[in-house]
Amino acid sequence: MNLSILLTALNAFLAVIPSISSSAALNKVVAAILAFEPIITEFYSEIKPVIENIIAAVSANPASTATQLAALKALDVTTDKAFDDAFTAYAANHPAVSPAG
């Protein structure tokens, strides 16, 4: 999957989250987003704003549950750490690369 397809899928989820009125339906969206974790990690720097917007949209949706929100926040933390770890490993092997600020 390439970045363009991933962004399209995540933005589609973002567009429908506010209109979801059922916790069960929202749970399906959250589960689908969580299934993208390996790909999200790969493109994390490019899609972090979309993930943050999805978390905000789920937070604002009255059908959301604490479990759904916690799962998305955990995804954000996990993928952020995985991206940082990958960058650190790359930078250790490529001294000319400066740390991201």
Side-chain angles (χ1 to χ4, degrees), residues 3-62:
L3 177 58
S4 178
I5 294 170
L6 178 60
L7 282 171
T8 299
L10 292 175
N11 280 311
F13 288 133
L14 183 57
V16 299
I17 288 171
S19 65
I20 296 173
S21 60
S22 154
S23 181
L26 189 57
N27 201 49
K28 290 179 182 180
V29 169
V30 170
I33 293 167
L34 295 176
F36 288 126
E37 182 177 350
I39 303 161
I40 289 171
T41 300
E42 181 180 346
F43 295 113
Y44 194 65
S45 63
E46 292 93 345
I47 63 164
K48 183 167 179 65
V50 177
I51 296 298
E52 290 171 343
N53 289 338
I54 288 172
I55 291 169
V58 170
S59 296
N61 188 309

